[in-house]
Amino acid sequence: MKKLILLLVVAFVGAVSARSEVMIADVFARQTTSLDGKWNVIVDPYDTGYFDYRRQPYDANGKITGGYALDKQAKDGELIEYNFDTSPTLNVPGDWNSQDEKLFYYEGSVWYRKKFDIVKSAPDHRLFIYFGAANYEADVYLNGKKLGKHIGGFTPFAYEITKLAKAKNNSLVVRVNNNRHADAVPTVNTDWWNYGGLTRDVLLVETPATFISNFRTRLKAGTTNTIEATVQLDGGDKNQTVKINFPSLKIAAEMTADTNGVARFELNTPNLAWWSPENPVLNDVVISCGADELKDRVGFRSIATSGTDILLNGKKVFLRGICIHEEVATEGRRAWSEADARMLLSNAKELGCNFVRLAHYPHNEHMARVADELGILCWEETPVYWTIQWTNAATLANAKQQLADLISRDQNRASVIVWSVANETPVSEPRTKFLKALVDEARALDGTRLVSAAMEVHSGTMENHPGAKPENHKVVDDPFGEYTDLCSFNQYTGWYDGTLEKIDRTTWSIKYHKPVVISEFGADAKQGLHGETTTRFTEEYQAELYRRTLPMLEQIPGFSGCTPWILFDFRSPRRPLSGIQDGWNIKGLIGHNGEKKIAFDVLKNFYGEKAKADATK
Ligand code: GCB
């Protein structure tokens, strides 16, 4: 087993939660031991695994007395009706739906079991178990003891196992359940596949007794060459010397952390090259404290708005974007690996993008890391989608936690410029209050990025357009727009709203003097299906919709970018049209067979022109 070190994040980016779990940020910047591979599984639609045969899971003291968590082998005539050792296996990471035909539509519980040994490099070191994500909830047990329950399908979580772990033959059991719930985030109805399972990496992490639990580096606001760095220690001996070193910039500093374990640095460098899509400069950084050392690569840039402009490093930028789901369409599965991220983002690059919207939930960490490297700006999003229980305090707490965990995980990624708190949520007072609470949370945790959401539009007129025909006039006046940095909305003129010729007649009123980023438009097209531009589901209809929509959007004052829907076709149970959709949302510019549609080149040409125009400014 490899040696490992890690990073546990508690709190300078947010309050320490009462949860038993701890957050491990920048896990890929550390040495870890992977628990990926084959895990034994028991599919359990009735949740039988919670109980023993007497249906008694806990004794009076809360000790688990039965159920699959104990991972028992029958001896001396004992009746035990499960056996992980002889059970089938699934790959981790991976959704279960694409690994076994019987699980394609499955929504319920699957129990996962992995055995592992531990080799600690020093007796006082600490151990953690880290999960990249489990959709939607996970109950985690080590050697028959419950570590905790995690709720939320797209964010990482970790537990300390220092005391519970044995040298040999540890049994890690996880019940993953992907049932949809009305009070969950997202709620019961979404236009994507509800992939279940341990969908991202599972890692063992070892740290010294006191270690670097978190760090954040960024360009100091209002400066051009001052790096601000904050380092947080965790453990019993916090008054230690913390060192930070940027070898390629030839700057380094050290200081003693305060009694809370926090060290704050400001470093000036005349040699700071800013990160941008044209020049995605990443600088090595080494942070150390005693035996703990963390290595990462970070970029520095500024992002702001001024009136209707978006300013990257003080210069106006047009966001040439595309939406992406976390899916490998050609294999019909969740994406999870660095190679998957590279495949998705390279296709966006080929399209001429400098921006991607990672819809509609936090994607895996590789995405922002690869985007950092390739020079692609990112919009990251929480799964507050369509209708959520706006007045349910627990639902809000869950949404906030998912947002906080996403920010904590990706705060060092220069590519990430937007935290999006929601998608297409119908206007109401409780909803606006809910979303405002998320905006406040995002700004409190990270005041250096833009905050937005994909809003809706409606037809009608506003005072400033008295002559407009209400049926052709689109209005953006969502009260939530007061609170966001961007004015972003989804619009489907020519697809859900009329046919293609309506696009040419459409006029706009936008209430907000902010940069306008159209977060979605698009049309279904079956790759390889050809016909008239008037025939729905043909590649020609989709291409024509793009040809007409792009000039229409250019008429909107403050038009600063767009992320059409979507790069690849993706699985959706809401799309049953036989012979055409067959369970796929086919608005991709690339089909689920991997072949490009005509519209790919239409958008590519538009972005080519935009890039040329930007370069000459
Ligand atoms: C939307 C949603 C997106 C859907 C898309 C569609 O507005 O935000 O999740 O997949 O429309 O294809 O209908």
Side-chain angles (χ1 to χ4, degrees):
M1 196 183 279
K2 259 195 302 157
K3 265 227 291 185
L4 32 90
I5 320 181
L6 112 127
L7 168 89
L8 157 75
V9 165
V10 244
F12 68 77
V13 290
V16 184
S17 78
R19 302 182 297 173
S20 56
E21 54 191 71
V22 290
M23 177 74 174
I24 295 179
D26 281 278
V27 75
F28 295 120
R30 303 188 163 244
Q31 269 188 303
T32 54
T33 301
S34 173
L35 292 185
D36 292 349
K38 304 260 178 229
W39 289 48
N40 291 93
V41 294
I42 299 174
V43 180
D44 185 15
Y46 290 6
D47 269 327
T48 307
Y50 263 145
F51 309 106
D52 67 4
Y53 64 95
R54 299 179 309 272
R55 306 197 61 76
Q56 274 303 304
Y58 299 105
D59 69 13
N61 302 316
K63 186 169 172 268
I64 300 170
T65 58
Y68 302 170
L70 294 185
D71 186 10
K72 270 187 146 183
Q73 300 289 318
K75 47 181 190 251
D76 305 331
E78 202 180 353
L79 174 62
I80 295 184
E81 295 187 76
Y82 71 92
N83 185 349
F84 276 111
D85 287 355
T86 55
S87 294
T89 58
L90 284 173
N91 289 323
V92 173
D95 64 80
W96 62 59
N97 315 70
S98 63
Q99 295 191 51
D100 180 346
E101 246 176 62
K102 292 197 295 297
L103 298 177
F104 184 59
Y105 284 107
Y106 182 65
E107 294 187 308
S109 293
V110 172
W111 293 79
Y112 286 75
R113 198 281 317 263
K114 183 79 174 173
K115 292 279 191 131
F116 63 93
D117 299 339
I118 294 284
V119 182
K120 276 214 266 185
S121 35
D124 69 334
H125 276 195
R126 295 163 70 180
L127 287 170
F128 301 86
I129 182 98
Y130 167 94
F131 297 85
N135 190 39
Y136 172 77
E137 60 177 53
D139 295 281
V140 185
Y141 307 84
L142 184 71
N143 300 330
K145 301 256 165 44
K146 186 151 186 174
L147 299 176
K149 182 186 195 77
H150 179 79
I151 297 180
F154 301 98
T155 39
F157 55 101
Y159 301 99
E160 178 153 12
I161 58 169
T162 310
K163 292 201 177 108
L164 268 183
K166 307 178 292 188
K168 294 265 172 228
N169 213 25
N170 290 284
S171 157
L172 177 63
V173 173
V174 187
R175 167 189 171 268
V176 183
N177 178 287
N178 72 334
N179 284 128
R180 288 166 292 124
H181 303 281
D183 62 351
V185 184
T187 183
V188 284
N189 200 4
T190 64
D191 189 21
W192 71 78
W193 207 264
N194 181 26
Y195 289 111
L198 291 173
T199 49
R200 297 183 190 158
D201 297 291
V202 183
L203 304 166
L204 267 176
V205 191
E206 180 183 339
T207 73
T210 295
F211 66 101
I212 303 156
S213 63
N214 199 359
F215 81 96
R216 178 171 62 201
T217 59
R218 60 195 187 193
L219 191 63
K220 187 177 177 186
T223 70
T224 54
N225 60 0
T226 304
I227 296 172
E228 223 175 36
T230 312
V231 178
Q232 171 81 57
L233 303 182
D234 181 82
D237 182 17
K238 294 204 177 69
N239 261 162
Q240 293 202 40
T241 304
V242 178
K243 296 182 185 166
I244 187 162
N245 182 12
F246 292 91
S248 55
L249 297 173
K250 299 193 174 33
I251 45 171
E254 62 176 76
M255 67 185 292
T256 309
D258 66 18
T259 48
N260 296 318
V262 178
R264 290 179 208 282
F265 297 89
E266 269 195 26
L267 302 106
N268 285 307
T269 168
N271 307 320
L272 194 60
W274 295 334
W275 185 99
S276 71
E278 296 73 35
N279 190 20
V281 194
L282 296 176
N283 308 280
D284 288 336
V285 58
V286 184
I287 299 168
S288 54
C289 174
D292 202 11
E293 185 182 80
L294 183 63
K295 286 185 179 165
D296 206 347
R297 296 172 75 210
V298 291
F300 298 100
R301 52 104 193 97
S302 67
I303 188 77
T305 64
S306 169
T308 57
D309 293 342
I310 300 171
L311 304 178
L312 177 69
N313 298 325
K315 204 176 147 223
K316 184 172 168 175
V317 63
F318 181 86
L319 301 177
R320 309 187 305 269
I322 190 74
C323 288
I324 300 182
H325 259 300
E326 192 191 36
E327 194 175 88
V328 177
T330 49
E331 296 168 37
R333 64 168 173 85
R334 264 263 171 274
W336 60 268
S337 67
E338 187 184 329
D340 293 342
R342 243 171 240 290
M343 180 281 289
L344 289 164
L345 293 172
S346 308
N347 276 288
K349 262 233 123 115
E350 192 187 333
L351 188 59
C353 293
N354 61 2
F355 183 53
V356 290
R357 174 178 175 216
L358 303 180
H360 283 300
Y361 39 76
H363 287 212
N364 64 77
E365 191 176 335
H366 296 295
M367 287 296 272
R369 285 187 170 274
V370 175
D372 258 15
E373 199 191 294
L374 297 183
I376 301 183
L377 300 159
C378 297
W379 157 308
E380 297 200 332
E381 190 158 303
T382 64
V384 176
Y385 182 90
W386 291 349
T387 52
I388 291 278
Q389 288 190 350
W390 305 119
T391 53
N392 185 331
T395 303
L396 177 59
N398 178 355
K400 270 193 192 170
Q401 190 68 57
Q402 294 195 44
L403 177 66
D405 290 348
L406 171 63
I407 292 175
S408 181
R409 193 194 70 183
D410 285 354
Q411 61 181 340
N412 287 314
R413 304 281 76 81
S415 54
V416 179
I417 55 164
V418 180
W419 304 122
S420 167
V421 299
N423 177 72
E424 273 188 7
T425 51
V427 177
S428 75
E429 242 181 78
R431 160 280 199 178
T432 302
K433 206 170 146 211
F434 186 106
L435 297 192
K436 168 73 167 49
L438 294 182
V439 167
D440 291 346
E441 179 80 358
R443 292 203 209 285
L445 296 177
D446 178 11
T448 68
R449 288 177 171 88
L450 309 180
V451 180
S452 200
M455 297 184 288
E456 289 184 324
V457 297
H458 65 88
S459 296
T461 49
M462 267 169 54
E463 292 139 27
N464 54 344
H465 277 76
K469 281 199 175 155
E471 67 274 21
N472 294 330
H473 196 68
K474 299 274 179 221
V475 177
V476 182
D477 62 357
D478 184 335
F480 181 61
E482 296 285 350
Y483 307 120
T484 55
D485 293 307
L486 303 175
C487 179
S488 295
F489 50 86
N490 301 346
Q491 74 83 35
Y492 280 92
T493 315
W495 187 253
Y496 294 123
D497 177 19
T499 48
L500 294 176
E501 76 288 345
K502 181 159 186 186
I503 298 169
D504 309 336
R505 297 196 303 267
T506 300
T507 53
W508 291 86
S509 287
I510 311 269
K511 182 173 169 191
Y512 302 104
H513 188 65
K514 297 184 178 184
V516 172
V517 176
I518 286 75
S519 33
E520 284 179 34
F521 70 85
D524 278 56
K526 184 177 161 78
Q527 200 285 326
L529 183 68
H530 294 287
E532 299 296 320
T533 54
T534 48
T535 308
R536 287 204 187 239
F537 300 109
T538 61
E539 285 194 40
E540 283 74 9
Y541 189 109
Q542 185 194 43
E544 186 62 15
L545 182 136
Y546 274 72
R547 271 185 219 110
R548 291 180 188 221
T549 300
L550 294 165
M552 184 261 281
L553 298 182
E554 295 229 78
Q555 303 306 312
I556 299 177
F559 178 47
S560 297
C562 59
T563 50
W565 192 251
I566 183 170
L567 186 60
F568 277 92
D569 293 351
F570 59 98
R571 283 198 192 283
S572 171
R574 294 170 51 89
R575 308 290 169 174
L577 185 61
S578 175
I580 300 283
Q581 295 172 319
D582 300 311
W584 292 86
N585 182 313
I586 52 174
K587 293 191 185 69
L589 295 176
I590 308 176
H592 50 95
N593 56 4
E595 299 292 325
K596 296 189 175 73
K597 304 178 193 174
I598 301 169
F600 186 97
D601 279 333
V602 177
L603 187 61
K604 185 175 173 173
N605 291 339
F606 176 77
Y607 282 165
E609 293 302 317
K610 280 277 176 202
K612 252 194 255 158
D614 271 3
T616 54
K617 268 179 202 154

